[in-house]
Amino acid sequence: NPVQWATMSVLYDFRSSEMKSAVITLGDYNTLPVYLSAGLEYLDFGGRGHQTVIAKSAESYMDLQGYAVTLGYHGDNLSASASAVEQKIFGKATNIGSYLFDTHYDWCLGPVGGRLGGSYITDIKGIGSTDSDDIGMPDNNMFEAVTQPNGRLPAYALYGRLDITDQYHIYSNYMKL
C-alpha cells in the first residue's frame, strides 16, 4: 500500500458561491502521528465543533474559521494541536490573529466511552462568527468589558463527552473568558 503523505480537502457552498474550507494536510496517521495542515479551515474550540456541524452551512456554533497553519499529533487515544490563525468573520478576513491550542483524550470501556479535553485561544472575538448567519461572537461592544488592554480576549474551555453505545451522548462544556 502506498503511504498517503499529502491530502487536500475542499468544502464549497454552491448556494452562496463561497469557499468554506480548503486545507492541505501533510502527514499519515498510520505511519507517523504528527501532521501539519494549512489553508482556510474550521478549527474546533471547546470540543463542540465537528460533531455539531450543521449540514446546510458547514459551520457549528463553536468553530473558528480562518486561514490557519496547524501542527498536530493524532495518536490512538490522545490528540493535540497548536494553530496560528487569522480569523474570518462573516466571510471576511480580519486582523484578529490568534493561537489556538487543543488537546483531548478518547477512552472506551466496552459499550461506554467518551472524550475529555481542553482548549485555549489567545483571542476569541471571532469564534463562532459564521459567513451565513448572525450567530457567534463578532468583534463588537459586548466584549469591551472583558477585553484586555492589549485588545485581546483570551479564553479557555474544558469539555467532556460520555457515549453510551452509539445512540446516547452526553456533552459537557465549561468556558471562561
Side-chain angles (χ1 to χ4, degrees):
N1 289 337
V3 176
Q4 200 171 15
W5 284 97
T7 57
M8 182 172 183
S9 63
V10 176
L11 180 60
Y12 186 82
D13 185 347
F14 289 97
R15 292 182 316 152
S16 66
S17 298
E18 182 176 15
M19 182 71 64
K20 297 290 187 175
S21 174
V23 181
I24 295 175
T25 302
L26 302 176
D28 179 13
Y29 297 155
N30 297 321
T31 308
L32 185 67
V34 177
Y35 65 92
L36 178 70
S37 67
L40 173 61
E41 61 184 307
Y42 289 94
L43 300 167
D44 186 20
F45 176 78
R48 300 266 322 185
H50 300 292
Q51 69 262 15
T52 59
V53 170
I54 301 165
K56 69 177 182 68
S57 64
E59 292 122 3
S60 73
Y61 100 105
M62 288 308 283
D63 269 354
L64 168 71
Q65 185 189 32
Y67 301 99
V69 175
T70 299
L71 178 62
Y73 171 86
H74 185 76
D76 290 334
N77 298 89
L78 181 66
S79 294
S81 64
S83 303
V85 59
E86 179 184 354
Q87 300 179 31
K88 278 183 72 176
I89 298 178
F90 302 111
K92 296 184 172 80
T94 68
N95 62 356
I96 301 174
S98 299
Y99 297 100
L100 174 65
F101 304 93
D102 183 78
T103 187
H104 62 264
Y105 181 80
D106 294 314
W107 57 276
C108 183
L109 299 170
V112 178
R115 173 176 285 184
L116 295 172
S119 297
Y120 174 78
I121 189 168
T122 57
D123 196 348
I124 197 172
K125 287 186 276 187
I127 201 166
S129 301
T130 66
D131 302 339
S132 57
D133 9 64
D134 293 332
I135 63 171
M137 298 183 257
D139 186 12
N140 63 25
N141 294 335
M142 82 180 202
F143 288 121
E144 285 184 8
V146 292
T147 300
Q148 293 183 345
N150 64 4
R152 293 193 172 275
L153 181 60
Y156 68 88
L158 302 174
Y159 57 91
R161 183 185 79 226
L162 177 64
D163 302 325
I164 303 167
T165 67
D166 289 335
Q167 298 176 354
Y168 305 102
H169 310 283
I170 301 169
Y171 297 94
S172 176
N173 252 7
Y174 174 78
M175 186 173 81
K176 174 81 173 146
L177 299 177

